[in-house]
Amino acid sequence: MATKVVTRKEGYWDKFYLPALAVGLKVTIKQFYKTLFKGQATTIQYPEVKRNYSQRFRGMHFISVDENKTENCTACYLCQTVCPAECITIIAEERDPEENVYGVRKEKKPKSFDIDALRCCFCGMCEEACPKDAIKLSRNYELATTSRAEAFYDLDHLKREVKGRG
Ligand code: SF4
Ligand code: SF4
């Protein structure tokens, strides 16, 4: 394949660099003026200021709980089955028969419920498939971690209150 050679015409003033520097400085001063005196900043002071994302934004997962902090999940495996990224791993166990949730005993509960957020593509199919409205995607987009292990959410993490839960 032929390589396209792009030649750049250099004008007389380009040799001195200073005119180009002045043009760049003019843009910077113009933006500075707009930000300082007209309040027209194009950036925000993150993290103090947050962007208002759409209600449909899909962020960090969480497992909803009832008033007794018992997870609404019945370990039916539907979310794990439907997940295209295969990032949900559930191990089910029998629920204590004495445990009565909403007056209706759920026979199974997750012994462990793990989501590998590094594999997740945030498609929301797990949320759609769940018959118990147990797994949900919050509007929290602050998912940065300093290690891979922190991006692996276990049941305790998923049941914890997260910002932007919705
Ligand atoms: S959002 Fe999609 S990819 Fe992520 S866990 Fe749910 S189903 Fe899997
Ligand atoms: S989160 Fe919902 S779909 Fe997934 S195992 Fe629990 S009840 Fe089933």
Side-chain angles (χ1 to χ4, degrees), residues 63 72-80 90 113 126 129-135:
I63 297 280
N72 290 323
C73 174
T74 54
C76 69
Y77 289 93
L78 268 176
C79 55
Q80 179 178 312
I90 304 166
F113 194 117
C126 50
C130 181
K132 296 291 178 187
D133 277 345
I135 187 165

Side-chain angles (χ1 to χ4, degrees), residues 18-80:
L18 283 177
L21 197 71
V23 170
L25 208 57
K26 186 181 155 197
V27 173
T28 305
I29 292 169
K30 193 173 146 193
Q31 289 300 328
F32 178 74
Y33 176 80
K34 277 168 74 177
T35 303
L36 203 63
F37 300 108
K38 292 192 166 182
Q40 295 176 350
T42 47
T43 53
I44 57 164
Q45 293 296 320
Y46 181 82
E48 288 82 13
V49 181
K50 307 267 172 71
R51 288 213 188 279
N52 195 18
Y53 281 90
S54 150
Q55 287 294 332
R56 295 165 60 189
F57 180 84
R58 295 191 289 261
M60 186 188 282
H61 311 66
F62 68 92
I63 297 280
S64 65
V65 294
D66 63 15
E67 63 273 15
N68 301 319
K69 302 279 180 204
T70 304
E71 64 283 331
N72 290 323
C73 174
T74 54
C76 69
Y77 289 93
L78 268 176
C79 55
Q80 179 178 312

